[in-house]
Amino acid sequence: MTNARGPSSETLEETAGSDACVCSIGNAVEHYVTGILGLVATLVIGVQAYPWLQATAGPSYLGSTWLVFSFAAVWLVCWIALEVAWEWRAGRVHLL
């Protein structure tokens, strides 16, 4: 992007005292770790809840879709919860 002063040279740097989270290449490891831990938590929860989910889905044609959607939703919730917990523990998110 060019403006009157020339090409834009925006950088992603976190300012001191800012509550905003600016992701950089170094934070990618945090996202991968929380995603993998969320998947592991989903598998543990899924093994425990599978009989109930299967009974809830029933013999309909959408039973497998219901199971996949349920596992994806649980993974997303676990991943977000772990991300918030990690950021809170690191002091980058202030809850309350």
Side-chain angles (χ1 to χ4, degrees), residues 68-82:
V68 169
F69 177 76
S70 298
F71 285 119
V74 169
W75 184 24
L76 182 65
V77 168
C78 287
W79 193 346
I80 290 171
L82 288 169

Side-chain angles (χ1 to χ4, degrees), residues 76-95:
L76 182 65
V77 168
C78 287
W79 193 346
I80 290 171
L82 288 169
E83 282 278 341
V84 170
W86 187 306
E87 295 296 321
W88 175 75
R89 181 75 174 122
R92 295 184 289 244
V93 171
H94 304 287
L95 304 174

